[in-house]
Amino acid sequence: MVNKKNIIPWKFIFLLFLGLRLWTLSAFFGAQNYLQFEPRYPYTRELLLLFKYPILWSWASFDGVHYLSLAEKGYSFLYSQAFFPVYFLFIRFVNFFIHNYLLSGLLISHLGFILSLVMFYKLIRLDFDEKVARWSMLFMTFFPSSFYFLSVYTESLYLFLT
């Protein structure tokens, strides 16, 4: 007999992930008409403007630029010691296969978020029923700052590893 607590709702998890991605993309396209992307942050011109697709730039701004630079050059710029190495070493490893630092970082963040949803579901199911677990995943996915999980930031990998 199969224990229902051990069955992972993969379809629901992928629907949550796709829903968050579509929600953030719609916000990007909506804001694009009103807000211009201005690369004023340090290293933005050197890193983000190398990539052809402006739609990806918004997912690697601020600290994301630092992680991409660390993945490419290592600890070689001012204040780079403020960033822990696990995330950018993952980017460097995935880049060995993809040959694009930005896409490598996005892939790691996306996979980290999907795996975080799986682990979060398993954790909730230890004490609560299916309905509570699904609602909890839904609230975590569409929390106002959940777009960080899909950006070139450490949040999704950190959430998965914890």
Side-chain angles (χ1 to χ4, degrees):
M1 186 166 178
V2 176
N3 186 359
K4 288 194 172 192
K5 283 190 174 188
N6 293 332
I7 298 174
I8 298 170
W10 287 104
K11 185 176 180 181
F12 185 69
I13 288 172
F14 284 117
L15 285 174
L16 286 175
F17 170 75
L18 290 175
L20 180 61
R21 177 43 72 199
L22 290 174
W23 179 59
T24 55
L25 283 175
S26 65
F28 168 79
F29 286 117
Q32 190 178 22
N33 296 329
Y34 302 105
L35 303 170
Q36 288 293 96
F37 178 75
E38 295 186 23
R40 288 189 220 159
Y41 199 72
Y43 312 111
T44 302
R45 291 195 193 282
E46 293 83 14
L47 290 171
L48 293 185
L49 297 180
L50 296 174
F51 302 107
K52 300 174 189 173
Y53 310 107
I55 192 171
L56 299 178
W57 294 348
S58 61
W59 303 113
S61 58
F62 299 105
D63 286 352
V65 176
H66 289 289
Y67 283 113
L68 293 175
S69 180
L70 285 166
E72 185 179 1
K73 302 171 189 162
Y75 288 113
S76 63
F77 58 92
L78 188 61
Y79 301 120
S80 63
Q81 73 278 7
F83 299 94
F84 292 114
V86 173
Y87 186 67
F88 78 82
L89 289 175
F90 271 114
I91 293 174
R92 189 180 288 179
F93 176 75
V94 173
N95 184 63
F96 181 75
F97 301 103
I98 295 180
H99 305 294
N100 186 320
Y101 287 104
L102 181 57
L103 292 179
S104 299
L106 288 172
L107 179 66
I108 291 167
S109 293
H110 285 62
L111 286 175
F113 180 62
I114 290 170
L115 293 174
S116 296
L117 285 175
V118 170
M119 297 308 289
F120 185 63
Y121 174 80
K122 286 183 165 192
L123 181 66
I124 297 295
R125 285 293 285 148
L126 290 175
D127 296 322
F128 298 100
D129 64 355
E130 175 82 15
K131 184 178 179 181
V132 172
R134 287 178 180 252
W135 277 106
S136 299
M137 287 192 311
L138 182 76
F139 290 141
M140 185 178 82
T141 301
F142 291 102
F143 188 75
S145 62
S146 63
F147 65 91
Y148 286 111
F149 293 131
L150 302 180
S151 301
V152 182
Y153 296 134
T154 59
E155 276 72 7
S156 60
L157 182 64
Y158 177 77
L159 182 64
F160 171 65
L161 293 176
T162 54

